[in-house]
Amino acid sequence: MQADRDSLLRRLHELRSEHRDLDTVIARLDEAGTDALQLQRLKKRKLKLKDEIAWLEGRLVPDIIA
């Protein structure tokens, strides 16, 4: 159980890091006026990462019924 949790935490850390990196790349490319299609793909990837992060956070936080 703990190994599974550690694995999820490690994956969550990786996804958050990639999400931050994409944020930086998107900002720089947007300033430079880069290809709109490339920018759109990066933004879609960032949204997918956000969804994965939310899913993992949901798995890590136990459901507590009050």
Side-chain angles (χ1 to χ4, degrees):
M1 175 90 174
Q2 185 64 28
D4 188 40
R5 182 175 171 77
D6 290 342
S7 175
L8 290 175
L9 285 171
R10 199 170 22 261
R11 179 70 178 142
L12 182 60
H13 177 71
E14 291 169 359
L15 292 174
R16 285 180 177 162
S17 178
E18 186 178 350
H19 189 268
R20 277 191 308 271
D21 292 345
L22 273 177
D23 206 21
T24 303
V25 169
I26 288 169
R28 287 183 182 164
L29 291 177
D30 198 25
E31 290 173 3
T34 306
D35 180 27
L37 184 59
Q38 181 183 10
L39 209 53
Q40 183 181 13
R41 287 180 179 153
L42 291 172
K43 288 180 180 181
K44 277 187 175 185
R45 173 68 181 149
K46 188 177 167 196
L47 284 173
K48 186 174 186 255
L49 288 172
K50 185 177 177 181
D51 289 344
E52 287 184 53
I53 289 168
W55 183 82
L56 281 174
E57 288 173 340
R59 295 272 322 259
L60 289 168
V61 177
D63 290 334
I64 299 174
I65 300 174

